[in-house]
């Protein structure tokens, strides 16, 4: 199976200079082509016969017009500016189809610096990896932060985040062997707990952004007070970027461990097909929902179930899993988010709200009968003065 790897590099100062040079060449080609397309679009307002250049047309013009003026283009790999033009054309195609907004010019020093390298073909890859180092074209052998399978590949992407460099590539690996007779599990994703499984296992939500918010605000104020273009501002921005990267890594680590456990130890994983973009419109919960990484959880479960030969089932988003009793299937009245305990007025079942929803998700199937909502409602008796919060 084809699997992608992304790991950190340990370049020396000379190699970091080469990396930044490749990023600059790719950014220059991207911005140059972007200005060309904007000029063509302005010309099309009066003359519709003007053709929007394709990625191949832009590359031909780049070779004929730009490279002779800037000889430092030849010091970098030719694949980097060529791929930048292809990415720009893809961004404009998405804009024309109204899938995304209009692309913008790339700014020097942004955290999203990256470039593309290619050598050889799919049948005869030219980028070698000996497990501890990788040999990149125009750069040479670069040390890896962690050992990787010894293999060869014909293309890769080098990216930078907070002064740390990463490499991403694809290679063929063997399908992992999984044990037979694995159970089925239903998973309820939430804010209080990252995930609650139908077997009773819970995974805590680390809330990395919330924990680091005070420190992040302090660093943001420090950046805003520094003079633009000064060395102190660059140092403050670097510290802020490292903190953002730390928050992102904590969130990704928790999601990776959760999704690997679900896909590896269960034959079928059932999750709700949540509309995360609609959830983010709730400005009271948008920060907490974004800190959970719900969309990233769904993305990782999709490819990891294929990796471990499992099945992923997306439960209908309108299935009232939180309102149906998992024992007697009674459909009670609506439950606001502040009610964390499910109480069934029919059979007297009392259990955690998320656990009840996870068990309903596990027994869901296409065309399941949803009972009508019961008129019986659990009375909200006021709590006496001497009763503790835990008992309530």
């Amino acid at each position: 199976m084809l699997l992608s790897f992304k790991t950190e590099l340990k370049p020396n100062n000379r190699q970091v200079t080469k990396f930044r040079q490749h990023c600059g060449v790719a950014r220059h080609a991207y911005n140059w082509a972007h200005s060309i397309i904007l000029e063509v679009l302005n010309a099309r307002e009066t003359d519709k016969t003007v053709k929007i250049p394709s990625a191949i047309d832009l590359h031909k013009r780049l070779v004929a017009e730009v490279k002779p003026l800037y000889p430092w283009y030849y010091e970098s790999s030719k694949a980097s500016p060529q791929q930048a033009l292809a990415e720009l054309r893809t961004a404009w195609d998405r804009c024309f189809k109204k899938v995304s907004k209009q692309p913008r010019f790339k700014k020097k020093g942004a955290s999203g610096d990256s470039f593309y390298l290619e050598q050889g073909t799919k049948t005869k890859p030219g980028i070698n990896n000996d497990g501890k180092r990788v040999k990149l074209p125009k750069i040479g052998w670069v040390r890896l932060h962690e050992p990787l399978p010894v293999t060869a590949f014909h293309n890769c992407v080098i990216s930078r985040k907070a002064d740390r460099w990463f490499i991403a590539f694809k290679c063929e690996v063997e399908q992992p062997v999984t044990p037979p007779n694995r159970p089925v599990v239903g998973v309820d994703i939430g804010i209080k707990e990252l995930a609650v499984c139908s077997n009773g296992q819970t995974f805590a939500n680390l809330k990395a952004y919330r924990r680091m918010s005070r420190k992040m605000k302090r660093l943001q104020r420090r950046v805003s007070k520094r003079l633009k273009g000064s060395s102190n501002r660059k140092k403050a921005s670097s510290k802020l970027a490292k903190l953002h990267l730390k928050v992102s890594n904590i969130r990704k680590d928790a999601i990776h461990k959760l999704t690997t456990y679900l896909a590896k130890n269960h034959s079928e994983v059932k999750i709700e097909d949540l509309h995360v973009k609609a959830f983010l419109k709730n400005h009271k919960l948008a920060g907490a929902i974004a800190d959970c990484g719900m969309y990233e959880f769904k993305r990782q479960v999709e490819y990891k179930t294929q990796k471990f030969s499992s099945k992923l089932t997306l439960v209908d988003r309108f299935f009232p899993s939180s309102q149906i009793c998992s024992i007697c299937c009674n459909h009670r009245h609506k439950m606001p988010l502040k009610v964390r305990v499910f109480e069934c007025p029919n059979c007297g079942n009392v259990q955690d709200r998320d656990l009840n929803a996870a068990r309903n998700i596990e027994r869901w199937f296409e065309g399941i009968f949803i009972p009508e909502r019961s008129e019986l409602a659990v009375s909200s008796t006021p709590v006496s003065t001497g009763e503790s919060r835990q008992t309530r």
Side-chain angles (χ1 to χ4, degrees):
M1 61 178 298
L2 190 64
L3 195 65
S4 62
F5 289 89
K6 184 176 182 179
T7 184
E8 187 177 353
L9 296 172
K10 296 174 69 176
N12 54 35
N13 293 336
R14 183 187 62 82
Q15 292 167 347
V16 169
T17 304
K18 283 286 186 180
F19 287 170
R20 293 185 179 275
Q21 184 180 7
H22 278 75
C23 290
V25 170
R27 181 175 59 252
H28 184 272
Y30 186 96
N31 291 339
W32 171 83
H34 188 33
S35 62
I36 294 296
I37 293 180
L38 291 177
E39 292 177 0
V40 171
L41 292 177
N42 292 333
R44 281 177 60 86
E45 294 180 359
T46 56
D47 186 6
K48 295 295 183 181
T49 60
V50 179
K51 180 184 175 182
I52 300 177
S54 63
I56 299 177
D57 299 333
L58 292 172
H59 185 252
K60 290 180 179 178
R61 289 190 58 179
L62 181 76
V63 174
E65 301 176 9
V66 180
K67 281 192 173 183
L69 298 177
Y70 305 104
W72 38 264
Y73 260 84
Y74 298 98
E75 299 177 7
S76 304
S77 175
K78 63 178 182 180
S80 299
Q82 189 172 359
Q83 181 66 17
L85 300 179
E87 292 175 355
L88 173 69
R89 197 62 181 85
T90 303
W92 271 109
D93 289 339
R94 290 173 57 85
C95 177
F96 294 149
K97 295 177 183 178
K98 297 183 180 180
V99 178
S100 60
K101 296 182 179 180
Q102 178 179 319
R104 296 180 295 180
F105 289 99
K106 289 189 175 183
K107 185 179 179 181
K108 182 179 179 181
S111 59
D113 278 348
S114 64
F115 62 93
Y116 174 87
L117 293 176
E118 180 178 334
Q119 188 171 0
T121 60
K122 292 183 179 180
T123 56
K124 293 183 179 181
I127 302 178
N128 298 318
N129 163 34
D130 63 0
K132 296 182 179 180
R133 299 178 303 167
V134 58
K135 189 175 183 181
L136 302 176
K138 292 281 187 177
I139 296 172
W141 288 100
V142 184
R143 289 186 301 166
L144 296 169
H145 195 270
E146 60 181 347
L148 291 179
V150 178
T151 182
F153 44 93
H154 82 285
N155 59 9
C156 64
V157 175
I158 310 295
S159 58
R160 180 181 65 86
K161 288 187 177 180
D163 296 334
R164 295 169 63 182
W165 295 91
F166 299 85
I167 181 173
F169 61 92
K170 294 181 180 180
C171 66
E172 288 285 343
V173 296
E174 295 182 358
Q175 190 91 12
V177 180
T178 53
N181 302 324
R182 294 176 294 170
V184 180
V185 66
V187 185
D188 181 71
I189 304 297
I191 298 175
K192 181 181 178 182
E193 302 291 342
L194 180 60
V196 177
C197 301
S198 56
N199 56 11
Q201 188 169 4
T202 61
F203 294 84
N205 185 8
L206 300 180
K207 301 178 182 178
Y209 185 84
R210 183 178 180 180
R211 287 184 344 196
M212 304 287 184
S213 60
R214 292 184 63 183
K215 187 176 181 180
M216 194 172 294
K217 290 178 182 177
R218 185 169 66 250
L219 291 178
Q220 287 172 343
R221 286 196 299 267
R222 191 173 298 174
V223 172
S224 65
K225 292 180 180 179
R226 298 294 183 267
L227 182 65
K228 288 186 178 181
S230 63
S231 299
N232 288 334
R233 187 182 177 91
K234 292 180 181 180
K235 294 178 183 179
S237 300
S238 178
K239 290 182 180 180
L240 180 61
K242 289 179 181 179
L243 185 61
H244 275 288
L245 181 61
K246 183 178 180 179
V247 171
S248 176
N249 289 341
I250 293 173
R251 185 185 302 119
K252 286 181 180 179
D253 179 70
I255 296 176
H256 270 294
K257 290 178 180 177
L258 169 61
T259 52
T260 302
Y261 165 79
L262 294 175
K264 189 176 182 179
N265 299 303
H266 301 89
S267 61
E268 184 178 3
V269 181
K270 295 184 178 182
I271 62 174
E272 288 182 297
D273 186 17
L274 300 176
H275 189 22
V276 182
K277 189 175 181 180
F279 287 173
L280 295 177
K281 293 181 180 179
N282 184 352
H283 298 292
K284 294 183 179 180
L285 297 176
I289 292 173
D291 200 13
C292 295
M294 293 184 178
Y295 184 83
E296 179 66 13
F297 168 81
K298 179 182 175 182
R299 187 192 70 84
Q300 291 188 16
V301 169
E302 287 178 351
Y303 80 82
K304 287 187 180 181
T305 48
Q306 297 178 5
K307 176 183 176 181
F308 293 103
S309 303
S310 305
K311 180 183 177 182
L312 175 63
T313 302
L314 297 178
V315 177
D316 185 14
R317 64 183 60 169
F318 297 106
F319 177 63
S321 59
S322 299
Q323 303 172 15
I324 298 178
C325 179
S326 59
I327 296 179
C328 67
C329 300
N330 177 56
H331 192 177
R332 58 161 285 181
H333 65 291
K334 285 188 176 182
M335 293 181 59
L337 289 175
K338 63 181 180 180
V339 179
R340 304 311 306 172
V341 178
F342 180 88
E343 300 179 12
C344 180
N346 187 32
C347 66
N349 172 34
V350 178
Q351 61 179 337
D352 182 72
R353 171 199 180 108
D354 297 334
L355 179 59
N356 177 75
R359 290 173 176 172
N360 284 327
I361 291 173
E362 180 188 356
R363 67 180 183 87
W364 181 90
F365 58 89
E366 190 69 34
I368 187 174
F369 173 73
I370 302 177
E372 294 183 1
R373 186 174 298 165
S374 174
E375 295 180 359
L376 296 176
V378 179
S379 60
S380 55
T381 308
V383 182
S384 60
T385 308
E387 191 173 3
S388 63
R389 292 177 59 90
Q390 186 175 3
T391 307
R392 181 175 65 181

